[in-house]
Amino acid sequence: MESRSERIKAGTEGAPQRSLLKALGYTDEEIRRPWVGIACSFNEVVPGHVHLQQVADAVKAGVRLAGGTPMQFGVMGICDGIAMGHEGMRYSLPSREVIADTVELMAMAHAFDALVLIPNCDKIVPGMLMAAARLNIPALVVSGGPMLAGRFRGRDVDFITVMEAQGAVKAGLMSEGELAELEDEACPGCGSCAGLFTANSMNCLTEAVGMGLPGNGTIPAPHAARLRLAKRAGMAVMELFRKGLRPRDIINKRSLRNALAVDMAIGGSSNTILHVLAIAYEAGVELGLEEIQEVCDSTPNLARISPAGGAVYHMQDLHEAGGIPAVMGELLRKGLIDPDVPCVGAERIGDLVEGKRTLNPEVLRPVEDPYMPTGGLAILRGSLAPEGAVIKHSAVPGNLLRHRGPARVFDQEEDAVAAMRRGDIREGDVVVIRYEGPKGGPGMREMLLPTATLAGMGLSDKVVLITDGRFSGGTRGAAVGHVSPEAQEGGPIAMVREGDLVELDVPGRRVELLVPPKELARRREGWTPPEPRVREGYLAVYARQVSSASLGAVRLRV
């Protein structure tokens, strides 16, 4: 493949650039080799990222072994857990676009020949995949891997256990001393939080779409196998460069359907819908909610990893059961995976997954014996969400799959949580939290604190929650998110009033506001959008440019 870096480093004209590189200590031989940008989101804020420098060093060793010159640069990364429940969460989803922009700016300004992308957490993984699709130069992803589960009084625990324990303390079901003991044990070390939350869902989908080597999604962060994977990734990117294999050769309609099938089979985070749509947008692939629903309806749910209802398993258990190759191998036996799409680890994805089977049927069920005949996520429509909404079907208690109840309406997350803690939310209620969408938030905050509060108070199987915001991958319960159009855009969710009946029908894929059309029209005539919450800074710009959640909450091209 033609070297992009050759344009600026060769001949007499390249002397100034070579002199600057020599100031960094590069030799003539290193300068002559292909330049591989190493985009690493290491920082000392995020547990999922604190070890990424070690991963980057292993990647760089692999690049050098295969004849390239690695050049590392930094990429930002937000910890959703630390940002949760306050203004900081408004910045999480918008950071995805900044991450993609950062990688693009660095890669184009410095004429890298190839890229290795080293993310780990919620928005960093999709942001880097979006950049890869946008740039379309040889690239692959190697993540930092999942955290191990903690142990507390004889059971496995994780970050979500602590989130839910707050509600238990408020409800008098746990002492503050027990909570303090739990917080010491829940997150035992580096890695993305131990359950199948958004970070690990996206790392698994990276592998399934063909942009990560086998093991990318499930090898635990502390294991030496993670560093061996990183070295292989460094060597693999040089092979991609020599072949001229680019991200848009890999990310296409067929591979995205493979990734969605895996998502449905393992019951990934509802946020993956936003991110898959955004990656498709950058890759120039037409993908809509209807096609996602089609994959969901045809794919059985094979795994129940925390926080899925009643789950006791974590990512380390999925890894021991065979990881994503086993998931894809099981699906392939039913013809639910296309084995002939290209990937970074072989000529075709089938070479990596054909013949793979679950190694532990308790963790990953064989395709003939699923938890559910359809996928772990579902797209809902109806009078409350005419452009669509998303629910994590596998995390919904059976008694709430069909539910009708009175709306309890709140115009921001904080008011809803305060009502829960006061004991104002009762069995059968439908909590509606609006003006938290991409524009209205702005930033489409995650509603983990409300759902965790309900769970801790023993209400997660008694109350439905509906929002134009989104949910953490750690959310469980009857939680409907991404309601579109959002309230700020005048969607029906803006017209809901206290006490209105709302009906949820997950098997029927419906969410309905049971208000007569004439009354709804009358309310709409009297509605005006509220003033923007944020008037300056990045969020103000983001709110003006962002699309509906039904399109992936992407920054629209102008």
Side-chain angles (χ1 to χ4, degrees):
M1 179 174 173
E2 179 189 358
S3 168
R4 297 175 73 250
S5 62
E6 199 70 21
R7 306 170 194 169
I8 66 169
K9 70 186 180 184
T12 304
E13 296 81 1
Q17 285 88 347
R18 294 195 299 270
S19 70
L20 290 170
L21 290 167
K22 288 178 179 180
L24 297 169
Y26 288 111
T27 65
D28 286 325
E29 173 58 26
E30 287 175 303
I31 295 170
R32 280 193 294 270
R33 291 178 176 185
W35 296 355
V36 181
I38 311 296
C40 179
S41 55
F42 161 79
N43 63 51
E44 295 181 346
V45 181
V46 186
H49 294 201
V50 72
H51 64 303
L52 292 189
Q53 187 56 55
Q54 190 177 13
V55 175
D57 289 342
V59 168
K60 289 186 284 187
V63 170
R64 293 189 185 103
L65 282 169
T69 296
M71 298 178 174
Q72 182 177 336
F73 62 93
V75 179
M76 67 159 292
I78 286 174
C79 178
D80 278 23
I82 297 173
M84 191 69 62
H86 60 94
E87 288 298 306
M89 181 48 69
R90 299 193 194 283
Y91 292 83
S92 176
L93 182 60
S95 76
R96 185 187 68 182
E97 319 306 308
V98 175
I99 290 158
D101 291 348
T102 298
V103 176
E104 177 190 1
L105 291 167
M106 289 296 290
M108 295 305 293
H110 302 105
F112 294 136
D113 296 305
L115 291 168
V116 178
L117 307 164
I118 309 176
N120 210 28
C121 290
D122 295 39
K123 309 311 169 297
I124 302 87
V125 182
M128 289 193 177
L129 283 167
M130 289 163 66
R134 184 188 301 173
L135 289 163
N136 202 33
I137 63 176
L140 59 72
V141 176
V142 57
S143 79
M147 186 184 292
L148 295 170
R151 292 288 291 174
F152 175 70
R153 299 190 177 186
R155 64 188 177 103
D156 285 351
V157 293
D158 54 43
F159 171 72
I160 302 304
T161 315
V162 185
M163 287 292 296
E164 295 181 356
Q166 297 177 98
V169 171
K170 294 290 184 183
L173 303 174
M174 175 183 276
S175 71
E176 291 191 3
E178 290 172 313
L179 176 61
E181 182 183 343
L182 172 62
E183 75 178 59
D184 285 345
E185 304 298 334
C187 299
C190 66
S192 45
C193 295
L196 192 60
F197 315 140
T198 304
N200 290 324
S201 297
M202 286 307 303
N203 283 324
C204 289
L205 265 61
T206 298
E207 189 177 331
V209 82
M211 287 293 292
L213 296 175
N216 181 74
T218 59
I219 296 173
H223 287 194
R226 177 61 55 177
L227 299 182
R228 296 195 296 271
L229 179 74
K231 289 180 181 177
R232 290 197 298 274
M235 291 185 280
V237 79
M238 293 304 299
E239 184 66 18
L240 296 177
F241 170 73
R242 294 184 181 107
K243 289 180 177 178
L245 189 66
R246 303 168 187 262
R248 292 196 189 187
D249 299 324
I250 295 168
I251 302 172
N252 54 44
K253 179 68 70 73
R254 294 153 60 208
S255 66
L256 287 170
R257 287 181 67 97
N258 281 353
L260 287 167
V262 168
D263 196 15
M264 302 306 168
I266 61 178
S269 162
S270 58
N271 282 317
T272 57
I273 303 301
L274 284 176
H275 300 324
V276 169
L277 288 170
I279 293 162
Y281 180 76
E282 294 290 353
V285 176
E286 290 189 10
L287 185 70
L289 293 179
E290 293 79 7
E291 193 155 5
I292 293 173
Q293 186 64 68
E294 180 185 321
V295 176
C296 177
D297 290 342
S298 62
T299 307
N301 178 230
L302 306 181
R304 291 290 171 91
I305 309 297
S306 175
V312 296
Y313 301 116
H314 289 81
M315 294 304 295
Q316 64 211 58
D317 302 303
L318 181 59
H319 181 63
E320 291 171 8
I324 299 308
V327 176
M328 297 185 79
E330 289 290 344
L331 294 176
L332 183 58
R333 291 199 288 127
K334 289 287 188 180
L336 299 172
I337 292 292
D338 184 336
D340 294 323
V341 293
C343 63
V344 300
E347 292 297 321
R348 51 194 283 278
I349 198 78
D351 296 337
L352 302 176
V353 306
E354 286 167 347
K356 301 293 185 182
R357 300 286 186 273
T358 177
L359 303 178
N360 185 342
E362 293 183 4
V363 176
L364 175 63
R365 290 192 175 183
V367 74
E368 299 87 359
D369 182 30
Y371 281 100
M372 300 189 306
T374 58
L377 300 176
I379 307 299
L380 309 178
R381 292 189 185 271
S383 59
L384 189 57
E387 292 181 5
V390 179
I391 191 168
K392 190 167 183 174
H393 188 173
S394 59
V396 180
N399 63 301
L400 291 180
L401 290 171
R402 290 186 173 90
H403 178 77
R404 179 183 292 186
R408 307 297 309 280
V409 183
F410 304 93
D411 287 349
Q412 62 177 355
E413 174 189 8
E414 290 84 351
D415 294 344
V417 172
M420 293 171 188
R421 289 173 173 171
R422 288 194 304 267
D424 292 347
I425 303 302
R426 298 175 178 82
E427 181 174 348
D429 285 347
V430 177
V431 176
V432 176
I433 306 178
R434 62 191 179 188
Y435 297 105
E436 291 285 7
K439 290 181 182 292
M444 203 178 183
R445 288 194 289 179
E446 286 186 345
M447 301 290 136
L448 176 57
L449 184 55
T451 58
T453 300
L454 290 173
M457 297 177 74
L459 291 172
S460 64
D461 61 347
K462 300 177 177 66
V463 171
V464 171
L465 199 156
I466 297 175
T467 181
D468 55 4
R470 59 196 177 88
F471 292 107
S472 163
T475 286
R476 62 185 173 97
V480 180
H482 309 191
V483 169
S484 300
E486 62 174 288
Q488 190 73 25
E489 294 282 270
I493 192 171
M495 312 306 154
V496 183
R497 292 184 179 176
E498 188 81 6
D500 285 347
L501 285 179
V502 175
E503 185 172 70
L504 173 66
D505 180 1
V506 179
R509 306 293 191 248
R510 307 294 296 172
V511 57
E512 305 284 357
L513 174 60
L514 302 181
V515 171
K518 287 185 178 180
E519 169 62 16
L520 198 60
R522 188 184 67 80
R523 294 180 188 180
R524 184 172 283 107
E525 287 178 4
W527 175 85
T528 56
E531 291 296 315
R533 284 196 175 106
V534 179
R535 294 178 176 272
E536 58 186 18
Y538 178 67
L539 285 186
V541 176
Y542 176 84
R544 290 194 295 268
Q545 297 178 340
V546 69
S547 78
S548 164
S550 63
L551 300 175
V554 295
R555 187 181 59 210
L556 293 170
R557 300 185 182 102
V558 294

